[in-house]
């Protein structure tokens, strides 16, 4: 029988199963107040940190980690810290491909604790979806589909969203694709979560009505 990993402390509560969290914030300062204790705890537990940041915010991110007492140079050299940009991960060649992204995240996750690091703690900044073109609908579909990956692994992934950059309808759909949510700096189980099969069927029907083209199953 597969051993269930211990819950992970985060935002005044605990991440259990599945470990796919959307976190809504009003500012970077609010975001880092919530994320940094989770990140520091991960280093202390020996977990690998994978951080996907805006391509122009890598240095700012490193400075915030350093100010929190994390030796980023040592962590990067040892492989415990891996910082990637939105362009590298989400938009290689300038386009977003959900199938490729599912494969990418499968490669990023750990081997159920059998590798060098017990778990991966993945933090994904999602502003690029509105800043790099009209990718929001594609990202919402991806966020629902990728639950199939996280249900098979013990790793934790936090997707952070700036409430000032996404429209209300998008925020509602993003909320419905994550089993857990951080609102007001507090983590809670998400009562609005919709399983992928049900959500994707509904969402694709809505997209097809807007575009006038048939929905893809």
């Amino acid at each position: 029988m597969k051993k269930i990993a211990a819950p992970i402390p985060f935002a005044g509560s605990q991440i259990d199963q599945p470990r796919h969290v959307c976190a809504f914030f009003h500012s970077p300062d609010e975001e880092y107040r919530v994320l940094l204790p989770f990140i520091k705890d991960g280093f202390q537990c020996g977990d690998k940190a994978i951080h996907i940041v805006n391509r122009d915010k890598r240095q700012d991110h490193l400075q915030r980690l350093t100010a929190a007492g994390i030796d980023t140079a040592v962590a990067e050299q040892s492989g415990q810290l891996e910082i990637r940009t939105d362009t590298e991960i989400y938009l290689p060649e300038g386009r977003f491909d959900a199938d490729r992204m599912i494969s990418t995240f499968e490669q990023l996750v750990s081997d159920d604790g059998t590798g060098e690091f017990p778990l991966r703690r993945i933090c994904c900044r999602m502003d690029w979806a509105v800043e790099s073109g009209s990718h929001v609908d594609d990202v919402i579909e991806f966020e629902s589909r990728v639950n199939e990956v996280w249900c098979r692994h013990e790793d934790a992934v936090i997707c952070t969203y700036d409430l000032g950059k996404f429209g209300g309808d998008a925020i509602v759909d993003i909320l419905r694709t994550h089993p857990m949510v951080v609102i007001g700096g507090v983590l809670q189980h998400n009562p609005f979560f919709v399983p992928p099969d049900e959500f994707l069927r509904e969402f694709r029907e809505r997209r097809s009505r807007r575009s006038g083209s048939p929905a893809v199953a």
Side-chain angles (χ1 to χ4, degrees):
M1 182 179 294
K2 181 179 177 182
K3 182 180 179 181
I4 302 299
I8 299 173
F10 179 51
S13 186
Q14 293 183 321
I15 307 174
D16 44 33
Q17 300 292 329
R19 295 174 164 178
H20 186 204
V21 181
C22 63
F24 296 115
F25 300 108
H26 292 281
S27 70
D29 287 343
E30 179 188 1
E31 177 182 349
Y32 279 97
R33 277 197 303 273
V34 174
L35 286 183
L36 283 171
F38 166 79
I39 293 169
K40 291 180 68 176
D41 179 66
F43 281 109
Q44 293 165 1
C45 292
D47 296 337
K48 182 178 177 71
I50 300 174
H51 299 165
I52 305 171
V53 301
N54 294 2
R55 53 195 164 295
D56 60 342
K57 296 297 184 182
R58 189 181 193 280
Q59 193 59 38
D60 175 72
H61 185 69
L62 283 170
Q63 290 172 352
R64 288 178 184 267
L65 296 184
T66 299
I70 297 167
D71 191 329
T72 57
V74 169
E76 285 191 289
Q77 186 175 14
S78 70
Q80 190 176 12
L81 173 62
E82 182 178 333
I83 299 179
R84 310 286 290 275
T85 68
D86 49 7
T87 304
E88 289 178 85
I89 296 295
Y90 293 110
L91 297 171
E93 302 176 359
R95 68 185 188 90
F96 178 78
D97 183 311
D99 291 332
R100 181 190 57 76
M101 282 307 311
I102 296 290
S103 176
T104 295
F105 275 96
E106 284 278 17
Q107 294 169 22
L108 286 176
V109 297
S110 62
D111 299 322
D112 297 321
T114 60
E116 180 180 359
F117 303 101
L119 295 172
R120 264 69 166 171
R121 299 193 186 201
I122 305 172
C123 298
C124 306
R125 187 72 180 266
M126 302 302 293
D127 295 353
W128 63 269
V130 289
E131 294 173 353
S132 300
S134 184
H135 298 289
V136 175
D137 281 353
D138 292 332
V139 167
I140 290 170
E141 285 204 20
F142 165 74
E143 287 278 40
S144 183
R145 288 181 58 193
V146 80
N147 282 298
E148 299 170 7
V149 175
W150 304 124
C151 283
R152 296 195 300 272
H153 298 275
E154 304 291 351
D155 303 282
V157 59
I158 315 296
C159 306
T160 67
Y161 288 87
D162 185 330
L163 286 166
K165 295 184 178 180
F166 291 82
D169 289 344
I171 290 294
V172 169
D173 281 326
I174 291 163
L175 177 65
R176 297 173 73 214
T177 63
H178 292 75
M180 303 193 79
V181 59
V182 174
I183 298 178
V186 178
L187 174 71
Q188 55 191 299
H189 285 277
N190 182 7
F192 303 105
F193 173 67
V194 179
D197 287 348
E198 180 182 345
F199 177 84
L200 289 169
R201 181 171 59 252
E202 174 204 323
F203 187 72
R204 287 167 178 170
E205 287 175 355
R206 279 192 276 136
R207 289 191 74 175
S208 68
R209 286 198 297 270
R210 291 199 305 268
S211 66
S213 59
V216 178

